[in-house]
């Protein structure tokens, strides 16, 4: 058993594809979050399709930012094995993902002329 399986057990396998518990829960969280965000955008009078775009950007840049910050935090290990560390399945720092995803989303919404706080807060910020 690998160290990954100790902390993130395989729920099931489809051929050679292994479905890990963390990845499955992360996927469910993003799908549910996208659904709730789309409904909230509709309630606020914004285009609900924007929820899918926001979710997609959050996934891409969240993972990239989480990996990037992990590599920066472990710079000496990264310089010894850059390819191995960059393309390993583990090593994500959540707040790196949060910072990069929110920064990208801020500029995306700004380019679309949609108030950033209107998307993320209650009706008091309208």
């Amino acid at each position: 058993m690998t160290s990954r399986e100790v902390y993130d057990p395989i729920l099931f396998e489809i051929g050679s594809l292994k479905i890990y518990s963390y990845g499955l829960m992360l996927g469910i969280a993003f799908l549910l979050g996208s659904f709730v965000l789309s409904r909230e955008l509709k309630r606020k009078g914004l285009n609900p399709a924007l929820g899918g775009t926001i979710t997609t950007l959050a996934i891409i840049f969240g993972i990239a930012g989480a990996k990037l910050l992990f590599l920066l935090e472990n710079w000496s290990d990264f310089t010894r094995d850059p390819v191995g560390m960059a393309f390993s399945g583990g090593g994500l720092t959540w707040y790196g993902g949060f910072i990069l995803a929110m920064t990208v989303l801020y500029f995306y919404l700004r380019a679309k002329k949609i108030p950033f706080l209107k998307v993320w807060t209650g009706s008091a910020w309208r």
Side-chain angles (χ1 to χ4, degrees):
M1 182 180 317
T2 66
S3 61
R4 178 178 177 139
E5 291 169 353
V6 172
Y7 298 107
D8 189 9
I10 297 172
L11 292 178
F12 56 92
E13 295 182 47
I14 303 172
S16 63
L17 177 67
K18 296 178 182 178
I19 306 299
Y20 291 92
S21 61
Y22 181 78
L24 179 64
M25 293 301 116
L26 192 60
I28 291 170
F30 272 110
L31 288 172
L32 185 59
S34 181
F35 173 75
V36 170
L37 178 60
S38 294
R39 298 218 19 176
E40 183 65 10
L41 291 171
K42 184 177 180 181
R43 185 186 71 80
K44 291 179 179 183
L46 297 170
N47 182 359
L50 185 62
T53 303
I54 288 173
T55 302
T56 302
L57 290 172
I59 290 169
I60 293 167
F61 289 99
I63 292 171
K67 186 60 145 185
L68 181 62
L69 187 55
F70 173 78
L71 295 175
L72 291 173
E73 289 175 331
N74 298 283
W75 187 254
S76 61
D77 294 332
F78 175 64
T79 56
R80 281 192 296 268
D81 182 19
V83 174
M85 293 253 329
F87 294 103
S88 69
L92 301 174
T93 304
W94 77 267
Y95 49 90
F98 178 77
I99 291 167
L100 184 60
M102 290 305 280
T103 302
V104 167
L105 290 173
Y106 171 79
F107 286 110
Y108 173 76
L109 292 171
R110 185 174 169 190
K112 293 287 189 181
K113 298 190 180 357
I114 299 169
F116 183 77
L117 292 177
K118 185 174 183 180
V119 173
W120 303 116
T121 61
S123 59
W125 289 92
R126 283 186 180 192

